[in-house]
Short mmCIF file of all heavy atoms in Angstrom, two decimals:
data_model
loop_
_atom_site.label_atom_id
_atom_site.label_comp_id
_atom_site.label_asym_id
_atom_site.label_seq_id
_atom_site.Cartn_x
_atom_site.Cartn_y
_atom_site.Cartn_z
N MET A 169 46.09 -18.82 -39.47
CA MET A 169 45.04 -19.75 -39.83
C MET A 169 43.65 -19.12 -39.60
O MET A 169 43.41 -18.63 -38.53
CB MET A 169 45.17 -21.04 -39.01
CG MET A 169 44.51 -22.23 -39.60
SD MET A 169 44.73 -23.70 -38.56
CE MET A 169 46.47 -24.01 -38.82
N PRO A 170 42.81 -19.04 -40.63
CA PRO A 170 41.55 -18.35 -40.47
C PRO A 170 40.53 -19.10 -39.62
O PRO A 170 40.60 -20.34 -39.51
CB PRO A 170 41.03 -18.22 -41.90
CG PRO A 170 41.69 -19.34 -42.64
CD PRO A 170 43.02 -19.57 -41.96
N LEU A 171 39.62 -18.31 -39.04
CA LEU A 171 38.55 -18.88 -38.22
C LEU A 171 37.27 -18.93 -39.03
O LEU A 171 36.95 -18.01 -39.79
CB LEU A 171 38.35 -18.05 -36.98
CG LEU A 171 39.26 -18.33 -35.79
CD1 LEU A 171 39.01 -17.29 -34.70
CD2 LEU A 171 39.05 -19.71 -35.20
N TYR A 172 36.49 -19.97 -38.87
CA TYR A 172 35.20 -20.08 -39.54
C TYR A 172 34.12 -20.34 -38.49
O TYR A 172 34.36 -21.03 -37.50
CB TYR A 172 35.21 -21.25 -40.54
CG TYR A 172 36.27 -21.11 -41.59
CD1 TYR A 172 37.52 -21.73 -41.45
CD2 TYR A 172 36.08 -20.29 -42.72
CE1 TYR A 172 38.47 -21.63 -42.40
CE2 TYR A 172 37.06 -20.20 -43.70
CZ TYR A 172 38.25 -20.86 -43.54
OH TYR A 172 39.23 -20.71 -44.46
N ASP A 173 32.96 -19.69 -38.71
CA ASP A 173 31.84 -19.91 -37.81
C ASP A 173 30.96 -21.05 -38.36
O ASP A 173 30.55 -20.98 -39.54
CB ASP A 173 31.00 -18.62 -37.69
CG ASP A 173 31.76 -17.58 -36.89
OD1 ASP A 173 32.27 -17.92 -35.84
OD2 ASP A 173 31.83 -16.42 -37.36
N TYR A 174 30.66 -21.99 -37.52
CA TYR A 174 29.80 -23.10 -37.89
C TYR A 174 28.65 -23.19 -36.93
O TYR A 174 28.72 -22.75 -35.78
CB TYR A 174 30.56 -24.42 -37.85
CG TYR A 174 31.34 -24.70 -39.17
CD1 TYR A 174 32.57 -24.10 -39.40
CD2 TYR A 174 30.80 -25.56 -40.10
CE1 TYR A 174 33.26 -24.35 -40.54
CE2 TYR A 174 31.47 -25.81 -41.31
CZ TYR A 174 32.74 -25.22 -41.49
OH TYR A 174 33.42 -25.45 -42.67
N GLN A 175 27.51 -23.72 -37.44
CA GLN A 175 26.35 -23.98 -36.55
C GLN A 175 25.94 -25.42 -36.68
O GLN A 175 25.86 -26.01 -37.77
CB GLN A 175 25.21 -23.06 -36.92
CG GLN A 175 24.00 -23.29 -35.95
CD GLN A 175 22.91 -22.28 -36.18
OE1 GLN A 175 22.63 -21.87 -37.28
NE2 GLN A 175 22.25 -21.89 -35.11
N CYS A 176 25.64 -26.01 -35.51
CA CYS A 176 25.15 -27.41 -35.50
C CYS A 176 23.69 -27.44 -35.87
O CYS A 176 22.89 -26.67 -35.38
CB CYS A 176 25.37 -27.98 -34.09
SG CYS A 176 24.66 -29.62 -33.87
N GLU A 177 23.31 -28.37 -36.76
CA GLU A 177 21.92 -28.46 -37.18
C GLU A 177 21.09 -29.23 -36.16
O GLU A 177 19.87 -29.30 -36.25
CB GLU A 177 21.87 -29.10 -38.53
CG GLU A 177 22.48 -28.22 -39.64
CD GLU A 177 22.49 -28.90 -40.99
OE1 GLU A 177 21.80 -29.93 -41.17
OE2 GLU A 177 23.21 -28.42 -41.87
N GLU A 178 21.75 -29.87 -35.26
CA GLU A 178 21.02 -30.69 -34.22
C GLU A 178 20.60 -29.81 -33.03
O GLU A 178 19.49 -29.81 -32.63
CB GLU A 178 21.90 -31.83 -33.77
CG GLU A 178 22.24 -32.82 -34.86
CD GLU A 178 21.03 -33.75 -35.20
OE1 GLU A 178 20.06 -33.74 -34.44
OE2 GLU A 178 21.10 -34.44 -36.26
N CYS A 179 21.62 -29.12 -32.46
CA CYS A 179 21.34 -28.37 -31.20
C CYS A 179 21.49 -26.88 -31.41
O CYS A 179 21.37 -26.11 -30.44
CB CYS A 179 22.24 -28.88 -30.06
SG CYS A 179 24.01 -28.49 -30.35
N ARG A 180 21.76 -26.44 -32.64
CA ARG A 180 21.87 -25.01 -33.01
C ARG A 180 23.03 -24.29 -32.34
O ARG A 180 23.12 -23.06 -32.35
CB ARG A 180 20.57 -24.21 -32.64
CG ARG A 180 19.31 -24.94 -33.04
CD ARG A 180 19.23 -25.39 -34.48
NE ARG A 180 19.08 -24.28 -35.41
CZ ARG A 180 19.06 -24.43 -36.73
NH1 ARG A 180 19.25 -25.63 -37.30
NH2 ARG A 180 18.88 -23.39 -37.55
N THR A 181 23.98 -25.05 -31.79
CA THR A 181 25.14 -24.41 -31.20
C THR A 181 26.02 -23.77 -32.29
O THR A 181 26.27 -24.40 -33.32
CB THR A 181 25.95 -25.48 -30.42
OG1 THR A 181 25.17 -25.96 -29.35
CG2 THR A 181 27.27 -24.90 -29.90
N VAL A 182 26.48 -22.58 -32.06
CA VAL A 182 27.39 -21.89 -32.95
C VAL A 182 28.80 -22.01 -32.38
O VAL A 182 28.99 -21.70 -31.19
CB VAL A 182 27.01 -20.42 -33.17
CG1 VAL A 182 28.01 -19.71 -34.04
CG2 VAL A 182 25.60 -20.34 -33.79
N PHE A 183 29.74 -22.39 -33.18
CA PHE A 183 31.11 -22.54 -32.70
C PHE A 183 32.11 -22.17 -33.78
O PHE A 183 31.74 -22.11 -34.96
CB PHE A 183 31.38 -24.01 -32.22
CG PHE A 183 31.12 -25.05 -33.27
CD1 PHE A 183 32.16 -25.56 -33.99
CD2 PHE A 183 29.83 -25.49 -33.53
CE1 PHE A 183 31.92 -26.55 -34.96
CE2 PHE A 183 29.59 -26.46 -34.47
CZ PHE A 183 30.65 -26.98 -35.22
N GLU A 184 33.28 -21.86 -33.35
CA GLU A 184 34.33 -21.45 -34.29
C GLU A 184 35.27 -22.58 -34.55
O GLU A 184 35.61 -23.37 -33.69
CB GLU A 184 35.11 -20.24 -33.72
CG GLU A 184 34.33 -18.95 -33.75
CD GLU A 184 35.14 -17.81 -33.23
OE1 GLU A 184 36.08 -18.02 -32.41
OE2 GLU A 184 34.83 -16.66 -33.62
N VAL A 185 35.68 -22.67 -35.82
CA VAL A 185 36.61 -23.75 -36.26
C VAL A 185 37.82 -23.08 -36.90
O VAL A 185 37.68 -22.21 -37.76
CB VAL A 185 35.91 -24.71 -37.23
CG1 VAL A 185 36.92 -25.71 -37.77
CG2 VAL A 185 34.75 -25.44 -36.57
N ARG A 186 38.99 -23.52 -36.50
CA ARG A 186 40.19 -23.02 -37.09
C ARG A 186 40.67 -24.05 -38.10
O ARG A 186 40.92 -25.20 -37.75
CB ARG A 186 41.24 -22.80 -36.01
CG ARG A 186 42.41 -21.99 -36.46
CD ARG A 186 43.26 -21.64 -35.28
NE ARG A 186 42.50 -20.79 -34.33
CZ ARG A 186 43.08 -19.97 -33.49
NH1 ARG A 186 44.38 -19.87 -33.44
NH2 ARG A 186 42.38 -19.27 -32.66
N ALA A 187 40.77 -23.67 -39.36
CA ALA A 187 41.16 -24.61 -40.40
C ALA A 187 42.00 -23.95 -41.45
O ALA A 187 41.85 -22.74 -41.67
CB ALA A 187 39.89 -25.20 -41.06
N THR A 188 42.82 -24.73 -42.09
CA THR A 188 43.61 -24.17 -43.20
C THR A 188 42.78 -24.11 -44.46
O THR A 188 41.72 -24.76 -44.57
CB THR A 188 44.83 -25.06 -43.45
OG1 THR A 188 44.41 -26.32 -43.87
CG2 THR A 188 45.65 -25.19 -42.21
N ILE A 189 43.23 -23.31 -45.43
CA ILE A 189 42.58 -23.25 -46.71
C ILE A 189 42.47 -24.63 -47.34
O ILE A 189 41.44 -25.02 -47.90
CB ILE A 189 43.33 -22.26 -47.64
CG1 ILE A 189 43.41 -20.88 -47.04
CG2 ILE A 189 42.64 -22.22 -49.03
CD1 ILE A 189 42.08 -20.17 -46.90
N HIS A 190 43.55 -25.39 -47.19
CA HIS A 190 43.56 -26.76 -47.75
C HIS A 190 42.47 -27.61 -47.13
O HIS A 190 41.76 -28.34 -47.82
CB HIS A 190 44.93 -27.38 -47.51
CG HIS A 190 45.01 -28.79 -48.01
ND1 HIS A 190 45.02 -29.13 -49.38
CD2 HIS A 190 45.04 -29.98 -47.34
CE1 HIS A 190 45.11 -30.45 -49.45
NE2 HIS A 190 45.10 -30.99 -48.27
N GLU A 191 42.29 -27.49 -45.82
CA GLU A 191 41.24 -28.27 -45.15
C GLU A 191 39.86 -27.86 -45.64
O GLU A 191 38.98 -28.73 -45.81
CB GLU A 191 41.36 -28.10 -43.62
CG GLU A 191 42.52 -28.90 -43.00
CD GLU A 191 42.66 -28.60 -41.52
OE1 GLU A 191 42.58 -27.38 -41.16
OE2 GLU A 191 42.86 -29.53 -40.75
N LYS A 192 39.69 -26.60 -45.86
CA LYS A 192 38.39 -26.12 -46.39
C LYS A 192 38.13 -26.69 -47.78
O LYS A 192 37.03 -27.13 -48.07
CB LYS A 192 38.38 -24.58 -46.47
CG LYS A 192 38.15 -23.87 -45.14
CD LYS A 192 36.70 -24.02 -44.70
CE LYS A 192 35.78 -23.24 -45.67
NZ LYS A 192 34.41 -23.45 -45.29
N GLU A 193 39.13 -26.67 -48.60
CA GLU A 193 39.00 -27.10 -50.00
C GLU A 193 38.69 -28.60 -50.06
O GLU A 193 38.07 -29.09 -51.01
CB GLU A 193 40.23 -26.77 -50.78
CG GLU A 193 40.33 -25.29 -51.13
CD GLU A 193 41.59 -24.97 -51.92
OE1 GLU A 193 42.48 -25.83 -51.93
OE2 GLU A 193 41.67 -23.88 -52.47
N THR A 194 39.17 -29.32 -49.09
CA THR A 194 38.95 -30.79 -49.11
C THR A 194 37.70 -31.21 -48.39
O THR A 194 37.49 -32.37 -48.09
CB THR A 194 40.18 -31.48 -48.47
OG1 THR A 194 40.41 -30.93 -47.19
CG2 THR A 194 41.42 -31.37 -49.34
N GLY A 195 36.83 -30.24 -48.08
CA GLY A 195 35.52 -30.57 -47.55
C GLY A 195 35.54 -30.73 -46.03
O GLY A 195 35.28 -31.80 -45.49
N LEU A 196 35.84 -29.63 -45.35
CA LEU A 196 35.86 -29.66 -43.89
C LEU A 196 34.45 -29.89 -43.32
O LEU A 196 33.48 -29.20 -43.72
CB LEU A 196 36.40 -28.34 -43.38
CG LEU A 196 36.51 -28.18 -41.85
CD1 LEU A 196 37.53 -29.13 -41.27
CD2 LEU A 196 36.87 -26.72 -41.51
N GLN A 197 34.32 -30.86 -42.42
CA GLN A 197 33.05 -31.12 -41.75
C GLN A 197 33.29 -31.26 -40.29
O GLN A 197 33.42 -32.38 -39.74
CB GLN A 197 32.39 -32.38 -42.36
CG GLN A 197 30.91 -32.54 -41.94
CD GLN A 197 30.04 -31.43 -42.49
OE1 GLN A 197 30.09 -31.14 -43.67
NE2 GLN A 197 29.25 -30.82 -41.66
N PRO A 198 33.36 -30.10 -39.58
CA PRO A 198 33.70 -30.18 -38.18
C PRO A 198 32.60 -30.80 -37.33
O PRO A 198 31.43 -30.77 -37.69
CB PRO A 198 33.92 -28.72 -37.81
CG PRO A 198 33.11 -27.94 -38.77
CD PRO A 198 33.13 -28.75 -40.04
N GLU A 199 32.98 -31.29 -36.18
CA GLU A 199 32.06 -31.91 -35.27
C GLU A 199 31.57 -30.91 -34.22
O GLU A 199 32.36 -30.11 -33.73
CB GLU A 199 32.77 -33.09 -34.57
CG GLU A 199 31.91 -33.90 -33.65
CD GLU A 199 32.74 -35.00 -32.98
OE1 GLU A 199 33.40 -34.76 -31.98
OE2 GLU A 199 32.70 -36.14 -33.51
N CYS A 200 30.28 -30.97 -33.89
CA CYS A 200 29.74 -30.07 -32.88
C CYS A 200 30.37 -30.37 -31.56
O CYS A 200 30.42 -31.51 -31.12
CB CYS A 200 28.21 -30.30 -32.82
SG CYS A 200 27.45 -29.40 -31.45
N PRO A 201 30.90 -29.32 -30.85
CA PRO A 201 31.53 -29.54 -29.58
C PRO A 201 30.53 -29.89 -28.45
O PRO A 201 30.91 -30.40 -27.41
CB PRO A 201 32.20 -28.21 -29.29
CG PRO A 201 31.43 -27.20 -30.06
CD PRO A 201 30.89 -27.91 -31.26
N ALA A 202 29.25 -29.58 -28.68
CA ALA A 202 28.24 -29.80 -27.66
C ALA A 202 27.64 -31.20 -27.72
O ALA A 202 27.51 -31.86 -26.72
CB ALA A 202 27.15 -28.72 -27.77
N CYS A 203 27.22 -31.62 -28.95
CA CYS A 203 26.55 -32.91 -29.04
C CYS A 203 27.30 -33.88 -29.94
O CYS A 203 26.86 -34.97 -30.19
CB CYS A 203 25.12 -32.71 -29.54
SG CYS A 203 25.01 -32.21 -31.28
N HIS A 204 28.43 -33.45 -30.51
CA HIS A 204 29.31 -34.28 -31.31
C HIS A 204 28.61 -34.75 -32.60
O HIS A 204 29.02 -35.77 -33.19
CB HIS A 204 29.84 -35.48 -30.53
CG HIS A 204 30.64 -35.05 -29.31
ND1 HIS A 204 31.88 -34.47 -29.36
CD2 HIS A 204 30.33 -35.05 -28.00
CE1 HIS A 204 32.28 -34.18 -28.15
NE2 HIS A 204 31.34 -34.53 -27.29
N SER A 205 27.61 -34.02 -33.07
CA SER A 205 27.03 -34.30 -34.34
C SER A 205 27.88 -33.80 -35.45
O SER A 205 28.60 -32.77 -35.32
CB SER A 205 25.64 -33.65 -34.41
OG SER A 205 25.15 -33.72 -35.71
N GLU A 206 27.85 -34.46 -36.59
CA GLU A 206 28.60 -33.98 -37.78
C GLU A 206 27.72 -33.22 -38.72
O GLU A 206 28.12 -32.85 -39.82
CB GLU A 206 29.28 -35.14 -38.47
CG GLU A 206 30.41 -35.70 -37.66
CD GLU A 206 31.21 -36.79 -38.43
OE1 GLU A 206 30.74 -37.14 -39.52
OE2 GLU A 206 32.22 -37.23 -37.90
N LYS A 207 26.43 -33.00 -38.31
CA LYS A 207 25.53 -32.19 -39.16
C LYS A 207 25.74 -30.72 -38.84
O LYS A 207 24.99 -30.10 -38.11
CB LYS A 207 24.06 -32.61 -38.86
CG LYS A 207 23.71 -33.99 -39.37
CD LYS A 207 22.25 -34.24 -39.11
CE LYS A 207 21.86 -35.62 -39.65
NZ LYS A 207 20.46 -35.94 -39.34
N THR A 208 26.80 -30.20 -39.39
CA THR A 208 27.12 -28.78 -39.15
C THR A 208 27.27 -28.06 -40.49
O THR A 208 27.62 -28.69 -41.51
CB THR A 208 28.44 -28.66 -38.37
OG1 THR A 208 29.47 -29.36 -39.05
CG2 THR A 208 28.30 -29.23 -36.97
N HIS A 209 26.99 -26.81 -40.50
CA HIS A 209 27.21 -26.02 -41.73
C HIS A 209 27.82 -24.69 -41.37
O HIS A 209 27.67 -24.15 -40.26
CB HIS A 209 25.86 -25.84 -42.45
CG HIS A 209 24.86 -25.05 -41.67
ND1 HIS A 209 23.86 -25.66 -40.91
CD2 HIS A 209 24.65 -23.71 -41.47
CE1 HIS A 209 23.09 -24.76 -40.31
NE2 HIS A 209 23.56 -23.57 -40.60
N GLN A 210 28.49 -24.12 -42.36
CA GLN A 210 29.22 -22.86 -42.11
C GLN A 210 28.27 -21.67 -42.14
O GLN A 210 27.35 -21.62 -42.94
CB GLN A 210 30.30 -22.65 -43.16
CG GLN A 210 31.19 -21.47 -42.86
CD GLN A 210 32.29 -21.25 -43.90
OE1 GLN A 210 32.40 -22.01 -44.86
NE2 GLN A 210 33.10 -20.25 -43.67
N LEU A 211 28.48 -20.77 -41.21
CA LEU A 211 27.72 -19.52 -41.17
C LEU A 211 28.53 -18.47 -41.92
O LEU A 211 29.75 -18.35 -41.76
CB LEU A 211 27.50 -19.05 -39.74
CG LEU A 211 26.59 -19.89 -38.90
CD1 LEU A 211 26.55 -19.34 -37.46
CD2 LEU A 211 25.20 -19.92 -39.44
N LEU A 212 27.84 -17.70 -42.75
CA LEU A 212 28.49 -16.58 -43.46
C LEU A 212 28.23 -15.26 -42.77
O LEU A 212 27.20 -15.10 -42.13
CB LEU A 212 27.95 -16.51 -44.90
CG LEU A 212 28.18 -17.82 -45.72
CD1 LEU A 212 27.57 -17.71 -47.07
CD2 LEU A 212 29.66 -18.13 -45.81
N ASN A 213 29.14 -14.35 -42.88
CA ASN A 213 29.00 -13.09 -42.22
C ASN A 213 27.71 -12.33 -42.61
O ASN A 213 27.14 -11.60 -41.81
CB ASN A 213 30.21 -12.18 -42.55
CG ASN A 213 31.45 -12.69 -41.81
OD1 ASN A 213 31.35 -13.32 -40.81
ND2 ASN A 213 32.59 -12.37 -42.35
N ALA A 214 27.27 -12.52 -43.87
CA ALA A 214 26.08 -11.84 -44.31
C ALA A 214 24.85 -12.24 -43.49
O ALA A 214 23.97 -11.46 -43.28
CB ALA A 214 25.87 -12.18 -45.77
N ILE A 215 24.87 -13.49 -43.02
CA ILE A 215 23.74 -13.93 -42.20
C ILE A 215 23.69 -13.19 -40.87
O ILE A 215 22.65 -12.76 -40.44
CB ILE A 215 23.86 -15.46 -41.95
CG1 ILE A 215 23.76 -16.19 -43.29
CG2 ILE A 215 22.76 -15.94 -40.96
CD1 ILE A 215 23.95 -17.69 -43.17
N PHE A 216 24.82 -12.97 -40.28
CA PHE A 216 24.88 -12.21 -39.05
C PHE A 216 24.41 -10.78 -39.27
O PHE A 216 23.70 -10.21 -38.44
CB PHE A 216 26.32 -12.19 -38.53
CG PHE A 216 26.75 -13.48 -37.87
CD1 PHE A 216 27.80 -14.20 -38.35
CD2 PHE A 216 26.06 -13.95 -36.78
CE1 PHE A 216 28.18 -15.40 -37.79
CE2 PHE A 216 26.42 -15.15 -36.19
CZ PHE A 216 27.50 -15.87 -36.67
N MET A 217 24.75 -10.18 -40.41
CA MET A 217 24.33 -8.83 -40.65
C MET A 217 22.83 -8.72 -40.77
O MET A 217 22.19 -7.81 -40.32
CB MET A 217 24.98 -8.32 -41.97
CG MET A 217 26.49 -8.12 -41.78
SD MET A 217 27.32 -7.65 -43.36
CE MET A 217 26.52 -6.10 -43.67
N LEU A 218 22.18 -9.71 -41.45
CA LEU A 218 20.76 -9.70 -41.57
C LEU A 218 20.07 -9.79 -40.21
O LEU A 218 19.11 -9.09 -39.95
CB LEU A 218 20.30 -10.87 -42.46
CG LEU A 218 20.56 -10.70 -43.97
CD1 LEU A 218 20.20 -12.02 -44.69
CD2 LEU A 218 19.67 -9.60 -44.51
N HIS A 219 20.62 -10.68 -39.39
CA HIS A 219 19.97 -10.88 -38.03
C HIS A 219 20.14 -9.65 -37.18
O HIS A 219 19.27 -9.31 -36.42
CB HIS A 219 20.63 -12.06 -37.37
CG HIS A 219 20.03 -13.38 -37.85
ND1 HIS A 219 18.85 -13.86 -37.38
CD2 HIS A 219 20.46 -14.27 -38.75
CE1 HIS A 219 18.59 -15.02 -37.96
NE2 HIS A 219 19.55 -15.29 -38.82
N SER A 220 21.24 -8.92 -37.31
CA SER A 220 21.51 -7.84 -36.43
C SER A 220 20.69 -6.59 -36.73
O SER A 220 20.58 -5.69 -35.94
CB SER A 220 23.01 -7.45 -36.47
OG SER A 220 23.33 -6.95 -37.79
N LYS A 221 20.07 -6.61 -37.93
CA LYS A 221 19.22 -5.44 -38.29
C LYS A 221 17.95 -5.42 -37.53
O LYS A 221 17.36 -4.34 -37.29
CB LYS A 221 18.90 -5.48 -39.80
CG LYS A 221 20.04 -4.96 -40.68
CD LYS A 221 19.58 -4.79 -42.08
CE LYS A 221 20.70 -4.14 -42.96
NZ LYS A 221 20.24 -3.96 -44.35
N GLY A 222 17.39 -6.54 -37.11
CA GLY A 222 16.13 -6.53 -36.36
C GLY A 222 14.96 -6.28 -37.28
O GLY A 222 15.09 -6.17 -38.52
N GLY A 223 13.75 -6.16 -36.71
CA GLY A 223 12.56 -6.05 -37.55
C GLY A 223 11.81 -4.73 -37.34
O GLY A 223 10.65 -4.62 -37.65
N SER A 224 12.48 -3.72 -36.73
CA SER A 224 11.77 -2.49 -36.35
C SER A 224 11.89 -1.40 -37.40
O SER A 224 11.41 -0.31 -37.22
CB SER A 224 12.32 -1.97 -35.02
OG SER A 224 13.67 -1.68 -35.13
N GLY A 225 12.54 -1.69 -38.51
CA GLY A 225 12.83 -0.64 -39.48
C GLY A 225 11.83 -0.61 -40.63
O GLY A 225 12.08 0.01 -41.65
N PHE A 226 10.69 -1.28 -40.51
CA PHE A 226 9.73 -1.36 -41.58
C PHE A 226 9.11 0.00 -41.87
O PHE A 226 8.69 0.71 -40.93
CB PHE A 226 8.62 -2.37 -41.29
CG PHE A 226 7.60 -2.45 -42.37
CD1 PHE A 226 7.84 -3.16 -43.51
CD2 PHE A 226 6.38 -1.78 -42.26
CE1 PHE A 226 6.89 -3.25 -44.53
CE2 PHE A 226 5.44 -1.83 -43.24
CZ PHE A 226 5.68 -2.60 -44.38
N GLN A 227 8.99 0.33 -43.17
CA GLN A 227 8.34 1.61 -43.52
C GLN A 227 7.41 1.28 -44.70
O GLN A 227 7.66 0.34 -45.50
CB GLN A 227 9.34 2.64 -43.95
CG GLN A 227 10.20 3.15 -42.76
CD GLN A 227 11.16 4.22 -43.14
OE1 GLN A 227 11.21 4.62 -44.34
NE2 GLN A 227 11.90 4.74 -42.22
N GLY A 228 6.35 2.11 -44.81
CA GLY A 228 5.40 1.88 -45.87
C GLY A 228 6.03 2.14 -47.23
O GLY A 228 7.09 2.75 -47.36
N SER A 229 5.36 1.69 -48.29
CA SER A 229 5.92 1.80 -49.62
C SER A 229 5.42 3.06 -50.31
O SER A 229 5.84 3.35 -51.44
CB SER A 229 5.49 0.56 -50.44
OG SER A 229 4.12 0.45 -50.50
N CYS A 230 4.57 3.86 -49.65
CA CYS A 230 4.06 5.07 -50.26
C CYS A 230 5.12 6.17 -50.31
O CYS A 230 5.81 6.38 -49.30
CB CYS A 230 2.86 5.62 -49.53
SG CYS A 230 1.44 4.51 -49.64
N GLU A 231 5.26 6.83 -51.42
CA GLU A 231 6.20 7.95 -51.46
C GLU A 231 5.43 9.24 -51.33
O GLU A 231 4.34 9.38 -51.80
CB GLU A 231 6.94 7.91 -52.81
CG GLU A 231 7.80 6.69 -52.97
CD GLU A 231 8.54 6.74 -54.31
OE1 GLU A 231 8.48 7.76 -54.99
OE2 GLU A 231 9.08 5.67 -54.67
N PRO A 232 6.04 10.24 -50.69
CA PRO A 232 5.41 11.56 -50.54
C PRO A 232 5.05 12.15 -51.91
O PRO A 232 5.90 12.13 -52.82
CB PRO A 232 6.44 12.41 -49.83
CG PRO A 232 7.35 11.44 -49.14
CD PRO A 232 7.34 10.21 -50.03
N GLY A 233 3.81 12.63 -52.06
CA GLY A 233 3.44 13.22 -53.33
C GLY A 233 2.90 12.28 -54.36
O GLY A 233 2.44 12.69 -55.43
N SER A 234 2.92 10.98 -54.05
CA SER A 234 2.42 10.04 -55.07
C SER A 234 0.94 9.93 -55.08
O SER A 234 0.35 9.47 -56.03
CB SER A 234 3.06 8.62 -54.78
OG SER A 234 2.54 8.12 -53.57
N GLY A 235 0.25 10.40 -53.95
CA GLY A 235 -1.19 10.46 -53.95
C GLY A 235 -1.88 9.23 -53.40
O GLY A 235 -3.06 9.23 -53.14
N CYS A 236 -1.14 8.16 -53.20
CA CYS A 236 -1.83 6.89 -52.76
C CYS A 236 -2.26 6.93 -51.34
O CYS A 236 -3.08 6.17 -50.91
CB CYS A 236 -0.90 5.70 -53.02
SG CYS A 236 0.54 5.57 -51.93
N CYS A 237 -1.65 7.82 -50.51
CA CYS A 237 -2.00 7.89 -49.11
C CYS A 237 -2.85 9.16 -48.82
O CYS A 237 -3.03 9.51 -47.69
CB CYS A 237 -0.75 7.91 -48.24
SG CYS A 237 0.13 6.35 -48.23
N GLY A 238 -3.27 9.81 -49.77
CA GLY A 238 -4.06 11.03 -49.58
C GLY A 238 -3.11 12.17 -49.38
O GLY A 238 -3.21 12.98 -48.49
ZN1 ZN B 465 25.22 -30.02 -31.65
#
């Protein structure tokens, strides 16, 4: 049975839910284990990848030899 990551929109708690494909297809809406809110949404792996990159990798848009930076 696959695991899904969910986040509560009330208290931002992230939790894992174990559900069958059938349960997913029928509109799974798990309850937050911390505050028991049903305002939860599924987290996708791509979101975790974006967050893990951090913000220190910024580089200017000038290319060497283009002349814009002298
Ligand atoms: Zn919650």
Side-chain angles (χ1 to χ4, degrees):
M169 201 179 288
L171 278 172
Y172 302 96
D173 289 311
Y174 275 81
Q175 183 173 36
C176 174
E177 294 177 14
E178 296 285 348
C179 67
R180 317 307 288 176
T181 296
V182 176
F183 56 99
E184 288 183 334
V185 173
R186 193 170 299 205
T188 64
I189 301 294
H190 177 72
E191 283 175 317
K192 281 287 294 176
E193 285 180 345
T194 53
L196 179 67
Q197 193 64 50
E199 183 181 85
C200 172
C203 71
H204 301 288
S205 169
E206 289 186 353
K207 290 184 180 177
T208 56
H209 61 264
Q210 187 179 1
L211 292 176
L212 301 176
N213 287 335
I215 297 176
F216 284 119
M217 289 174 65
L218 284 174
H219 279 280
S220 66
K221 278 189 176 182
S224 61
F226 178 79
Q227 292 183 359
S229 59
C230 293
E231 295 180 11
S234 67
C236 71
C237 291

